[in-house]
Amino acid sequence: MTLEAQLSKYITKYIQDNHDIDVQSFEFQLTRKEFKGDLTLVVFPLLKHIKTNPVQLGEQIGDYLSKNSSLVSEFNVVKGFLNLSLTESYFADLVNTMSQDENFGFRKVTPTSQKVMVEYSSPNTNKPLHLGHIRNNLLGFSVAEIQKAAGKHVYKTQIINDRGIHICKSMLAWQKYGDGETPESSGVKGDHLVGRYYVEFDKAYKSEIKNLLKEGKTEEEAKKQAPILLEAQNMLKLWEAGDPEVVELWKTMNQWVYDGFETTYANLGVDFDKNYYESDTYLLGKDHIKSGLETGVFFTKDDGSVWIDLSDDGLDEKIVLRSDGTAVYMTQDIGTAIQRVTDYDIDEMIYTVGNEQDYHFKVLFLILKKLGFEWAEHLYHLSYGMVDLPSGKMKSREGKVVDADDLIEEMTSTAKSISQELGKLEGYDDDEKNRLYKMIGLGALKYYILKVDPKKRILFDPKESVDFQGNTGPFIQYTYARIQSILRKGKKESKDLNLSTYEFNSKEKALIKILNQFPELVQQAADQYSPALIANYVYDLVKEFNSFYQNVSILGADEEYQIEFRVELARLVGEVIQKSFKVLGIEVPNQM
């Protein structure tokens, strides 16, 4: 039972006994630093039940708690705020509880735990991953890890967009201009090689449009009649008809891309339990459209196309089947969602997709509800803002993108140059240094992106993110390494502490209180699908630890029992840093 829940029982009893009113819910907050106390009861909300002076009511409740609860040692009232000081035994019990719980903060997954699927990444196979994909991957992976820490069965998945006109554009350009080159013959990573031909197609397409405009065509006519586009459209028809030569080229070039993606994912430290492919799912959903027509969920227009009218729900009409009977993206997404529930019997599904698709997911979830799927109540669109750079927006058709592989390399390089400037890694051999440069660089990248609320847009500055001071990944990693150094010197073997007579100072209490928030914060982050809550919590914890470290002697304390306790407190902080960074997908170094 939480501290607030324990105190609430006493306050409820006091109000029942003295005012004959049943109040169960109370507002607590940590006591502000300028006032004496550990926890504050906000008295004002009680005035709607009890007509009295807030200071007087605060005094009465405080007096009752200090006399009847073993948790409260003293109190003071400032206006309508009752500041409670907690007993030494309360802090001793907290420390011992945290010390003895190896899973502190994390809930165990049980056979009856909820099953959650998290979709992220979901790239196209015509180009490499870029900065936008990095935010998507980091968010999706971290949300999945947080759900796992909250005690749920988690399945990580992606749907790979491996078919369609955009794929054929790369294939056609390779046929025309590739001269048979492969990733092996060119030394170019597979996804980058295919991406080059997507850019080559766009160049040729624009050139043909320009020529058609000179011939007197309108811009719209030129865009539709460019020969290279007509060839790509024909190639798509051949693919859909199962032409052996086209299908073989499609398989070969897609495999180049998959191999490239795997390298990027490994470098980024993300993984998946299941890949879905659009070439397998693009026909899914049609049967459900048919059954929805029979039940009146959908209707047919004069041209034979099938629609749903969502105007009563504040949306508009949406097409779900073209007049020629072919599927649209919505049809596929309906079918894929149903397939996933069939495959994994999941209770909840989280889609990590940029905010430009907000409307699409509102429609998708509503359609699934109207089709009668109860689980559609538990679908969530993890909508996130774009990532910008000081140089502006990215355009993949023109090759103006911040490539994910290049960015990972740049972050490692930036970490290296800043570490060398600061002389942080003297005495390390080259392998250790390179491993640490990558750990620091990736930690900087991930933390900088994940500390921002998912819904907000990010302006990403690589150099700023690798600062060893302030709210950054390297600052937190450095603090963790410092704690490991303390533990090596402290050589504490046992977690059993005798704190029955220990008098905690204010810095120790502050650390214990913030550590105690961790389990609740993990649940909160899971409920809100927000890694930013964890990132900013761990920064606050590290700031509090550094204040403790600068003001309280750990290894040089006067008494052995003080050294023992403070080393254990440092260990607990290190453990929570490591767990927080684990769910953010960030490694922590033992030395730095």
Side-chain angles (χ1 to χ4, degrees), residues 272-285:
F272 302 91
D273 299 305
K274 168 79 173 174
N275 292 335
Y276 286 86
Y277 297 90
E278 195 184 309
S279 54
D280 296 328
T281 64
Y282 81 106
L283 297 176
L284 293 177

Side-chain angles (χ1 to χ4, degrees), residues 471-517:
N471 191 4
T472 67
F475 172 66
I476 296 167
Q477 287 172 320
Y478 186 67
T479 302
Y480 179 84
R482 170 182 279 169
I483 289 169
Q484 300 317 298
S485 174
I486 292 166
L487 299 185
R488 283 190 294 273
K489 291 171 188 170
K491 293 178 184 170
K492 184 180 175 300
E493 301 297 332
S494 169
K495 292 182 189 175
D496 296 325
L497 295 169
N498 183 2
L499 299 172
S500 55
T501 58
Y502 196 92
E503 292 184 18
F504 299 90
N505 66 38
S506 61
K507 292 291 179 188
E508 291 166 339
K509 285 182 179 179
L511 259 187
I512 295 167
K513 283 188 285 187
I514 196 167
L515 282 169
N516 190 44
Q517 293 171 21

Side-chain angles (χ1 to χ4, degrees), residues 105-107 146 149-151 518-528:
F106 288 2
R107 288 186 185 172
I146 290 168
F518 183 57
E520 189 181 336
L521 200 96
V522 171
Q523 295 303 313
Q524 199 180 336
D527 293 342
Q528 296 182 26

Side-chain angles (χ1 to χ4, degrees), residues 105-106 142-143 145-147 149-150 447 450-454 471 476 514 517-542 576-586:
F106 288 2
S142 182
V143 164
E145 291 297 310
I146 290 168
Q147 297 293 321
Y447 186 82
L450 293 173
K451 74 178 180 181
V452 179
D453 181 279
N471 191 4
I476 296 167
I514 196 167
Q517 293 171 21
F518 183 57
E520 189 181 336
L521 200 96
V522 171
Q523 295 303 313
Q524 199 180 336
D527 293 342
Q528 296 182 26
Y529 312 99
S530 179
L533 292 177
I534 300 280
N536 290 293
Y537 163 81
V538 75
Y539 174 58
D540 289 340
L541 173 63
V542 162
V576 170
I577 292 171
Q578 187 268 331
K579 285 178 174 175
S580 298
F581 265 25
K582 180 180 185 291
V583 297
L584 298 178
I586 303 173

Side-chain angles (χ1 to χ4, degrees), residues 113-139:
S113 294
Q114 270 192 310
K115 295 174 185 172
V116 181
M117 180 172 280
V118 185
E119 176 194 290
Y120 55 97
S121 196
S122 301
N124 296 330
T125 57
N126 63 322
K127 54 194 173 187
L129 303 175
H130 56 61
L131 178 55
H133 289 116
I134 283 186
R135 186 176 198 190
N136 182 300
N137 274 271
L138 298 184
L139 260 179

